[in-house]
Amino acid sequence: MLSPQPLRNGETPSPHPRISAPHFHSTLSVQKLRRFNSLILLLRLLAFCFSLSSSIFMLTNSRGSDSPSWRDFDAFRYVFAANAIVAIYSLLEVAASAWEVLKSATIFPEVLQVWFDFGHDQIFAYLLLSAGSAATALVKTLKDRDTCRSFSAFCLQSDIAIALGFLGFLFLGFTTLLSGYRVVCFVINGSRFHL
């Protein structure tokens, strides 16, 4: 049978019904939360760096008028666009994560922030994965032809851009796992952290 009182163990009723009693956090749990938030910040920063690097490598992948350009291939344009979009998203999320580390609060209400992070992390991770896969298939086709034999620098820079995009996907994937953990904690406990 449930207790008629909504209080948890150790809490005393507040004389003001609209003001809730503050939750107890030990120093150890606060340090764990700060470490967890710092890890998310680091992973988002790495995803930003690799996605930005990939888009820059793809953007500068033109050698001259006789050499092929990345603009000539749909898959390479897709890699550039996907990595540029993810770099912008990751930069905004780095700012939000830094805010969370410094202020110990989210920018949006907690329920919105948890689902926003998880949903967008997944969407953009899949975007990077599909762009990298499409470009990998194109590079394999170019290597089967004489294009990569004649213009090896073009193919090498394309390979580097694709690899950097996959690394961006990897770090964004790890971030997705951690934001998924936050969603599960929120659904179970009503808070984004398991305490």
Side-chain angles (χ1 to χ4, degrees):
M1 178 169 180
L2 294 176
S3 172
Q5 297 178 359
L7 300 176
R8 296 181 184 178
N9 288 342
E11 291 182 349
T12 58
S14 173
H16 305 288
R18 290 188 296 166
I19 301 173
S20 63
H23 292 285
F24 173 74
H25 294 291
S26 70
T27 307
L28 184 62
S29 67
V30 170
Q31 288 174 351
K32 284 182 180 180
L33 295 178
R34 181 169 232 118
R35 223 178 290 138
F36 187 80
N37 287 337
S38 298
L39 178 62
I40 289 177
L41 175 63
L42 176 67
L43 290 172
R44 290 191 186 284
L45 186 63
L46 287 170
F48 165 73
C49 291
F50 284 111
S51 295
L52 180 66
S53 299
S54 176
S55 61
I56 289 172
F57 264 85
M58 193 56 76
L59 183 66
T60 59
N61 195 7
S62 297
R63 301 281 174 230
S65 61
D66 61 336
S67 173
S69 173
W70 66 276
R71 289 181 205 96
D72 299 334
F73 304 99
D74 289 337
F76 290 163
R77 287 195 304 249
Y78 183 34
V79 166
F80 168 72
N83 280 290
I85 290 168
V86 170
I88 292 168
Y89 165 74
S90 294
L91 182 63
L92 295 174
E93 282 290 332
V94 163
S97 293
W99 176 272
E100 192 170 346
V101 167
L102 295 174
K103 304 286 185 180
S104 297
T106 58
I107 292 177
F108 298 126
E110 188 175 13
V111 65
L112 181 64
Q113 186 76 44
V114 167
W115 286 104
F116 179 88
D117 289 348
F118 179 65
H120 285 86
D121 286 347
Q122 273 196 328
I123 289 167
F124 290 123
Y126 290 139
L127 181 70
L128 283 182
L129 183 63
S130 67
S133 299
T136 301
L138 176 64
V139 166
K140 184 178 180 325
T141 303
L142 292 176
K143 286 181 180 180
D144 291 342
R145 298 180 188 168
D146 288 337
T147 308
C148 283
R149 290 185 195 102
S150 303
F151 304 103
S152 61
F154 173 76
C155 289
L156 179 64
Q157 192 162 343
S158 298
D159 287 340
I160 291 171
I162 294 166
L164 289 170
F166 275 124
L167 286 172
F169 160 73
L170 181 72
F171 289 114
L172 195 57
F174 287 142
T175 306
T176 303
L177 289 174
L178 295 179
S179 62
Y181 174 76
R182 289 170 125 186
V183 167
V184 169
C185 288
F186 185 80
V187 168
I188 293 173
N189 299 326
S191 174
R192 66 188 184 279
F193 299 110
H194 175 68
L195 295 175

